Amino acid sequence: MKRILFLFMFCNLGFGWTHVGNNIRGWNSNPVIFYVNSANCPISDSELSRIVDAAIETWNGVTDSRLVVQRAQSTATVSDFLAGNVTQLPVILCDPDFATQVGSAGAAMIPAATFKTAADSSGYLTSSGVLLNAQPEAGANIAFLSTGQTELTLAHEIGHALGLGHSSQSESLMYFSLGSKVQALLTEDDIDGIVHIYPRNEFGGGVMGCSAVHSLTKTGTTGFDPVNVFLCLALILGSFGWGRYRFGSPTPNSKNQN
């Protein structure tokens, strides 16, 4: 019994990542381009560009994902975006009336938020945008944050705009609170979530790709990895000695040669 309990301690059968909705398949484009308008931003254009690029790079380079994220300039305004009159999506905009959009008393302490996320009947995202807090009197106005804090905040919101919800893993970038984090880094939980939405498509349909296992694991909003389940079961069965009967092992009637 101790042996079985020990194995379960090392078997991670599930993950904490979620989607922003059921069966989200991400943006049906590659690369995914975030359109940025620096109008009304309390920081310089060059500084905002550096921060956006750093946040974007957080999500690039996941080896089992096809996802490529890029930045482009936009002339979209906050009002046009919220009214649904913007075609170049997703967007990143600075909002001098941020608290009104968030609609809560604590909005002054929120540095950014993701709005207007929607998907079509196939699960592909059709709308999403990140509004940065540029309200002059707000305590969380991005002008009052360090560059690292703004990068971390924006990387988190970009994750939402790409289709990820909050994670239950406190160390994850997509955890609801940034807590004591000082750098935008992905954990295995974040990676599993983004790979599920944007699996690497090596063989046309993605069925044979390394990430295809992930793409077949989730139909709801809670991540689950059957590969881990299989490995854990194999370890458990092996602990009972049943592993002797797998391919290449002695048959039940064979004598142990050890």
Side-chain angles (χ1 to χ4, degrees):
M1 181 60 69
K2 290 181 179 178
R3 176 169 47 182
I4 298 173
L5 291 176
F6 176 79
L7 287 170
F8 272 114
M9 287 174 63
F10 287 91
C11 290
N12 183 8
L13 299 180
F15 296 98
W17 55 268
T18 62
H19 288 171
V20 293
N22 290 333
N23 301 313
I24 291 297
R25 302 176 69 181
W27 293 90
N28 191 19
S29 60
N30 194 27
V32 178
I33 299 175
F34 278 78
Y35 295 90
V36 183
N37 186 355
S38 60
N40 300 312
C41 280
I43 58 178
S44 68
D45 290 359
S46 59
E47 180 66 9
L48 179 64
S49 295
R50 285 195 296 270
I51 289 171
V52 172
D53 288 343
I56 281 174
E57 281 307 305
T58 301
W59 294 103
N60 282 330
V62 178
T63 57
D64 284 343
S65 172
R66 72 175 186 273
L67 177 66
V68 176
V69 186
Q70 295 179 356
R71 171 178 60 87
Q73 296 299 313
S74 173
T75 58
T77 65
V78 172
S79 59
D80 284 342
F81 166 64
L82 294 176
N85 297 326
V86 176
T87 57
Q88 293 181 316
L89 297 165
V91 295
I92 297 175
L93 307 171
C94 292
D95 187 1
D97 194 22
F98 184 82
T100 298
Q101 319 310 341
V102 174
S104 70
M109 299 310 297
I110 301 174
T114 304
F115 291 83
K116 305 289 285 187
T117 299
D120 61 21
S121 59
S122 297
Y124 288 113
L125 292 173
T126 57
S127 175
S128 193
V130 178
L131 299 186
L132 299 173
N133 191 338
Q135 191 160 326
E137 70 277 13
N141 182 310
I142 60 171
F144 304 144
L145 305 181
S146 69
T147 298
Q149 288 173 323
T150 308
E151 289 175 4
L152 184 60
T153 298
L154 187 54
H156 176 95
E157 297 303 330
I158 285 175
H160 286 318
L162 290 171
L164 286 175
H166 283 138
S167 168
S168 62
Q169 304 285 331
S170 60
E171 68 274 14
S172 297
L173 176 63
M174 295 310 298
Y175 188 60
F176 77 94
S177 171
L178 298 180
S180 59
K181 297 181 181 70
V182 296
Q183 189 175 3
L185 296 174
L186 301 183
T187 66
E188 189 63 33
D189 188 72
D190 300 310
I191 292 170
D192 282 332
I194 209 66
V195 166
H196 181 272
I197 302 176
Y198 301 92
R200 187 170 61 194
N201 188 1
E202 293 178 330
F203 297 93
V207 177
M208 299 299 293
C210 294
S211 60
V213 173
H214 296 270
S215 69
L216 298 175
T217 65
K218 180 172 179 294
T219 56
T221 58
T222 302
F224 190 72
D225 191 345
V227 176
N228 261 345
V229 175
F230 175 80
L231 293 175
C232 289
L233 288 176
L235 286 170
I236 294 167
L237 293 177
S239 73
F240 284 104
W242 297 344
R244 293 178 299 167
Y245 309 136
R246 64 182 183 275
F247 292 111
S249 298
T251 64
N253 295 324
S254 299
K255 294 183 178 179
N256 193 329
Q257 301 298 314
N258 293 332

